[in-house]
Amino acid sequence: VGELADNAASGTKVSLEFPVAYTGSPIVANNAMQYGTGTLSAGSVVWVAFGKAFAAAPTVFVTNTKTVSSAVNVVTGSIVAGSFFAEGENAADTFSWFAIGSGRI
């Protein structure tokens, strides 16, 4: 409860239903999350740029919104503080993504 009060006093929006995220190594609090959608280009790839760069490379999750049989994946090693690279099986496949990492947005 003291930590929630400290976060509220610092201007961070807090709620018991949505706890503060802890990520990184060493683990750090006051992290941020961004999310959105993307569409693969003709080569079945796309660079996704975050609205605002994180302080360091975040953790990114993607899910295909059209079909379960057609996967969209984050390319290994492509996640940086400001963007990531995704690829899939079919051009024009749409996907949802979210990223959580360090730095207040």
Side-chain angles (χ1 to χ4, degrees):
V1 175
E3 185 176 345
L4 283 174
D6 291 342
N7 285 341
S10 72
T12 303
K13 294 180 182 177
V14 295
S15 167
L16 290 175
E17 290 112 17
F18 303 101
V20 175
Y22 292 85
T23 64
S25 178
I27 295 175
V28 180
N30 293 328
N31 294 312
M33 185 174 106
Q34 297 184 56
Y35 58 91
T37 59
T39 303
L40 299 178
S41 67
S44 299
V45 296
V46 66
W47 272 105
V48 175
F50 304 125
K52 182 176 180 185
F54 291 88
T59 300
V60 176
F61 300 90
V62 297
T63 182
N64 190 326
T65 57
K66 284 193 172 182
T67 63
V68 176
S69 62
S70 174
V72 175
N73 301 297
V74 175
V75 175
T76 302
S78 74
I79 303 170
V80 295
S83 63
F84 70 92
F85 191 66
E87 66 181 356
E89 298 174 27
N90 303 307
D93 273 0
T94 58
F95 61 96
S96 296
W97 62 268
F98 75 91
I100 186 167
S102 59
R104 293 173 94 181
I105 305 290

